Amino acid sequence: MKALIACEYSRIVSDAFVAKGWDVTSCDILPSEKPGKHYQGDVFDIINDGYDLMIAFPPCTYLTVAANRHIPNNPDRWQKQVEALTFFYNLLNSNIKYIGIENPVGVVSTYIRKPDQIIHPYYFGDNIPKKTCLWLKNLPPLTYAMHDNLFETKTAVEPEYVYYNSKTTKSGKSKYSVLWKLGKGHGHERSKFHQGIATAMAEQWTEYILNNKN
């Protein structure tokens, strides 16, 4: 079976599917960080090359809730958001039977449709709290608890937060995901996809597709 992992240069998800026996091509405008089949360029150059599955991670720079705050009185940023939404829409509606698209909470829910699932990395064994939305086509939501040993996915672990003093809460404390202590200039680290979810995708969706082949 052939899989396209779009907008990925880390090959974290690609390698998880390779481990399950898939013929995987990753694609991004950046070169791959690891060895493997990788197309550097526009995903729509290769999207119709007969893939059975596509997992995509479209850039979220202009799609997040935070990005939306900068839209008023900024026509250039508004135009880039429209382009980002169009890119997302075209991925979701491409001619591939099984599709999963990941993005943070943002404007896709308003302008295209709500996600099929919202998860966190700590549901799958990584201690990071980070809302991760999945838009699915012909794929089931991911399961993050053991189900009769069908899957080897790690069960949930305790999330790690950074606490700070706050005058707006009753306790006097507020919290952020441990990711945000990295601060500005670390967008690459903060956007990195986590291994637990990648493994869950590969294990669970491979099993599902094999059990539902015509």
Side-chain angles (χ1 to χ4, degrees), residues 13-128:
V13 176
S14 296
D15 289 346
F17 276 89
V18 168
K20 299 302 294 184
W22 288 77
D23 176 6
V24 178
T25 299
S26 57
C27 175
D28 198 85
I29 59 173
L30 297 174
S32 176
E33 292 183 338
K34 299 177 183 177
K37 292 174 65 175
H38 182 77
Y39 179 80
Q40 186 176 350
D42 187 341
V43 64
F44 290 101
D45 292 344
I46 63 170
I47 203 165
N48 293 315
D49 288 357
Y51 296 101
D52 302 288
L53 166 74
M54 176 177 68
I55 311 297
F57 303 89
C60 64
T61 305
Y62 301 102
L63 298 177
T64 64
V65 171
N68 208 36
R69 295 199 298 264
H70 303 289
I71 295 297
N73 302 315
N74 192 332
D76 181 64
R77 198 169 184 93
W78 177 83
Q79 178 61 38
K80 288 177 179 176
Q81 185 179 88
V82 171
E83 292 170 358
L85 284 164
T86 302
F87 182 72
F88 188 106
Y89 179 88
N90 289 337
L91 286 173
L92 187 61
N93 289 279
S94 59
N95 188 29
I96 297 174
K97 184 173 182 179
Y98 299 103
I99 294 176
I101 301 183
E102 181 273 344
N103 232 239
V105 174
V107 299
V108 173
S109 297
T110 301
Y111 295 112
I112 298 178
R113 68 172 174 85
K114 294 185 182 302
D116 297 281
Q117 184 177 27
I118 299 177
I119 54 178
H120 287 267
Y122 73 84
Y123 291 2
F124 300 89
D126 295 296
N127 66 342
I128 304 299

Side-chain angles (χ1 to χ4, degrees), residues 140-154 199-200 203-208 211:
L142 293 174
T143 300
Y144 52 88
M146 296 296 285
H147 265 263
D148 299 323
N149 295 320
L150 276 177
F151 307 124
E152 297 176 357
T153 304
K154 292 180 180 178
T199 300
E203 291 181 349
Q204 296 184 30
W205 289 344
T206 298
E207 188 79 14
Y208 177 82
N211 286 338

